[in-house]
Amino acid sequence: MERIDIGEISLEAHIAGRGPPLLFLHGLDYFAQHQPFLDRLAGQFRVIAPRHPGFGNTARPPWMRTVGDIAYLYLDLIDRLALDDVLLVGASFGGWVAMELAVRSGARLSGLVLVDTLGLKFGGRDDVEIADIYALPADEVVRRTFADPAKAPDYDAMGDAEVEEVARDREAAVLYGWRPFMHNPSLRHWLHRIKVPALVIWGERDRIVAPSYGAHLTQRLQNARFVPIANTGHYPQVEQPEAVAAAIEGFGQEITR
Amino acid sequence: MMHTWHFSEMAYHPAWAHLNESYRVIIPSRLYDPKIGADLYHRYLDEWALCDELGINIMTNEHHATATCADSVCTIPMAILARETKKVRLLALGMPIANRENPLRVAEEYSMLDVISRGRIEMGFVKGVPFEISPANSNPADLMERFWEAHDLILKAMTSHDGPFSWEGTHFQYRSVNIWPRPYQQPHPPVWMPVGSQGSAREAAARGITIGTLNTGWAATPGIFNAYRETAAQCGREMTPHHLAYMALIGVGRTREEGWRRADQILDYSRTSGVVSPQFANPPGYVPPAMAATAIKGATTARATRLQTRDGKPINPRTVGVEDAISAGLVFAGTPDDVWDQLKSFYDHVGGFGHLLMMGQGGHISHEDTVDNLTLFSKEVLPRLAELG
């Protein structure tokens, strides 16, 4: 992990590989399970994967409370590293951050990849579109998150420091996403500002946020394609890192051609 | 001298037989029969009203979406009792101010109660147990930050008497704060908060807030009280035993057997209170990450395991019997002499305290037994409390 200082924030970031820049924004918890996916992407991209403020070992300044704040921070990060034609990839909670970033400015982006993203509300006030993972039993959350529950992290086998990091991740996710639950009510009204090509990847068996949500999002974007990934749940990049990375690599070649 | 307060959670115990894994949060209200509920409310209110004659002060609390406590608004019984009683003091312990959207409404409720009762209100501000998070949809990650901002705003609102002031806080914003009525007691009614840890005791001590330790037991309570005393001294705050309160379940009888039977029935409070699905016991951010990590690993609650008997045997509150509960300092029970001896021994062990929060009703104990329990306590134990403090 490296450190990048932006103003008062010292971002912890995983940086690896050579090639066009790819900024990966992670989801709700347990970053380490992304390693095979990020390793594979590093074969074709310069991968930059920061930990959001409050997550991992990136401290959160007390004033930073909204996903919009994180989006501005990563716009600063792109400036700071002087990146151009960035392929922005966001998964789950990180997809929400990615959309908030892209509606603010797409000037330095080449494309947007959203993997089982949160952040939007399409239905009515009685519709539950994002499962309330804080009200479900832990084993049910695992069954809804992973097509193959054996792929879920084994917290009992982890060391204290690692589990404590998971606890910090969960606390941070809650801080940003508790209410309204994991979405920004007005974000869907700004999706037209996303003009770069987009790829919407979805685990076919995601029961945290269903594939129909992703399909709906794809229709709302100007230039987007929907790619379901078989036998995966909410984290297809964890369950099928090769398949998801291949889809992203193909998309990367498509948009730079 | 030590003050005594009678506390009941106004349980809707008829539902308990139908509940298994959780007595809280997700239980359907079809299990609540409002006709039986009305009888229970009136019964519990009668028991509190009796306290005015017995010289026992009154304590209410609140919980949400649960059959263990049907008092979902702690100021509602107080509103009734503020007029129905004339002498005793009224403690609401209390208002979950980090879960209430509007702190000014809290200030107004407490001020009205204080005026109607002619200055007999004591104001509790509570963090709330973790299972209150879901019913309130309250963000657990910044709960205490919101708690203290609400606390500061409520006290400023109650003590500002020269027209509106402006509050643009992190969590609460009002451009014109100007509450009526102002409280009867000056500058404001006494402030209480329940604490379960030494850290919270220190935070309360630094502000001169009275702490109520609720069933923290023989093992944990001395450390909590000492933390309070140390911090009060460090901050140069004068403190009296009346900054410290302890809640125990109390069963008094004419015989030891009768007192124990009553205590055993009241203990159903402890046996049911913590029965909640684990995901509601550990919302992320409610406790610091190091503590939360233990819960993630076990995926079960890590709470309440610190309870133990005097010889160090761990206590499971869901199954505990009277004998172990007495040893653990959760229960004082038996004849009036037994109760006095146990109370005195606990009092000496923790270095003294000024308020006994007496759960004189809980679980399935009947109205008649509750009345006799309170009456015996008032006649046979209460006079001896003058020896304490």
Side-chain angles (χ1 to χ4, degrees), chain B residues 45-72:
Chain B
L45 286 164
D46 287 345
E47 291 161 7
W48 272 320
L50 171 69
C51 290
D52 204 37
E53 295 165 31
L54 298 177
I56 299 173
N57 302 297
I58 291 168
M59 169 179 157
T60 64
N61 75 331
E62 72 175 60
H63 285 289
H64 300 265
T66 175
T68 64
C69 173
D71 189 352
S72 48

Side-chain angles (χ1 to χ4, degrees), chain B residues 75 95 97 100 102-115 121 123 125 150-159 165 174 177-184 188-189:
Chain B
T75 44
M95 194 66 80
I97 53 174
R100 293 241 359 213
N102 187 340
L104 297 189
R105 176 78 184 200
V106 175
E108 287 170 336
E109 287 174 23
Y110 274 145
S111 289
M112 266 187 88
L113 283 172
D114 200 40
V115 175
I121 280 291
M123 305 190 288
F125 298 136
H151 165 273
D152 295 348
L153 173 55
I154 290 165
L155 290 192
K156 184 167 182 187
M158 291 179 106
T159 54
F165 66 86
Y174 299 92
V177 182
N178 188 27
I179 66 150
W180 280 65
R182 68 179 172 120
Y184 196 93
H188 57 75

Side-chain angles (χ1 to χ4, degrees), chain A residues 60 62 65 132-138 155-160 163-164 166-168 170-172 174-179, chain B residues 26 101 133-134 136-142 145 170-171 279-280 283-285 287-290 292-294 296-299:
Chain A
R60 179 185 68 87
R65 291 174 177 276
D132 187 354
I133 55 174
Y134 306 112
L136 293 168
Y155 300 114
D156 292 340
M158 288 180 196
D160 289 347
V163 186
E164 206 174 311
V166 171
R168 278 200 300 280
R170 291 184 179 182
E171 177 173 331
V174 155
L175 186 104
Y176 293 113
W178 188 263
R179 188 169 71 174
Chain B
I26 51 175
E101 307 273 326
I133 293 293
S134 177
N137 199 17
S138 180
N139 194 325
D142 53 11
E145 195 184 281
T170 305
H171 299 281
Q279 68 269 26
F280 300 115
V287 294
T294 25
I296 291 171
K297 271 199 148 180

Side-chain angles (χ1 to χ4, degrees), chain A residues 64-143:
Chain A
M64 183 168 257
R65 291 174 177 276
T66 70
V67 173
D69 290 327
I70 311 177
Y72 281 120
L73 176 70
Y74 292 147
L75 283 169
D76 271 3
L77 173 71
I78 291 171
D79 285 348
R80 178 63 192 275
L81 300 181
L83 305 176
D84 271 311
D85 295 326
V86 176
L87 182 55
L88 179 62
V89 182
S92 178
F93 174 82
W96 179 9
V97 181
M99 286 186 285
E100 295 276 6
L101 187 158
V103 299
R104 281 165 172 75
S105 171
R108 313 282 279 271
L109 306 182
S110 62
L112 174 65
V113 179
L114 300 167
V115 186
D116 295 70
T117 189
L118 309 176
L120 300 155
K121 179 148 185 73
F122 298 117
R125 62 187 183 186
D126 294 344
D127 297 322
V128 179
E129 295 170 279
I130 299 168
D132 187 354
I133 55 174
Y134 306 112
L136 293 168
D139 55 351
E140 174 66 10
V141 173
V142 166
R143 281 195 296 274

